[in-house]
Amino acid sequence: MTQQQYQQCIAACLECMNACNVCYISSLKEYNLAMLRDCIRVNRECADICAFAAQAMTRGSDFIGEICELCVKACEACAAVCGKHEHDHCQACAEACRKCAEACRVMAAVA
């Protein structure tokens, strides 16, 4: 694993974390909160897991593979939930989650 590959995965995790946080805050401002309940919940979890994955890679953790596998699962779940909604913030979040899942999938395979 090269330093550039680590940096790309860290960047994808941080981008996803930011997109999840934007989606979370934006969803709280929407009129129909009940419809977005699952989106809001999974946004928080995914953002936290992405932040944790980025920190683990930055530290050179011995558990990068396992943490990135968890990040893939969280990102896929978040993309699935957010992808159901038409809001721009949900669609942007789903796209960032798909990109992060792919980057973490690669990292988990080689870590």
Side-chain angles (χ1 to χ4, degrees):
M1 183 70 14
T2 68
Q3 188 63 27
Q4 182 181 0
Q5 289 170 308
Y6 273 109
Q7 290 303 321
Q8 289 172 343
C9 192
I10 291 167
C13 286
L14 294 177
E15 254 182 67
C16 188
M17 178 196 72
N18 288 332
C20 287
N21 283 331
V22 167
C23 189
Y24 169 77
I25 295 299
S26 298
S27 292
L28 288 175
K29 295 175 184 176
E30 294 290 343
Y31 179 72
N32 190 352
L33 280 178
M35 178 186 73
L36 293 168
R37 181 177 49 240
D38 289 340
C39 183
I40 292 166
R41 180 186 52 78
V42 77
N43 282 157
R44 290 302 318 135
E45 282 189 302
C46 190
D48 289 346
I49 291 169
C50 286
F52 179 53
Q55 290 169 3
M57 285 182 274
T58 300
R59 285 192 306 268
S61 170
D62 291 338
F63 305 103
I64 291 171
E66 294 87 348
I67 293 167
C68 284
E69 285 176 17
L70 175 62
C71 195
V72 168
K73 290 179 184 178
C75 287
E76 287 176 345
C78 193
V81 171
C82 287
K84 295 177 187 176
H85 302 288
E86 296 298 319
H87 305 96
D88 290 342
H89 55 83
C90 288
Q91 291 299 311
C93 183
E95 181 61 25
C97 286
R98 286 189 284 272
K99 288 179 182 175
C100 185
E102 183 55 35
C104 282
R105 192 175 289 108
V106 170
M107 183 64 66
V110 297

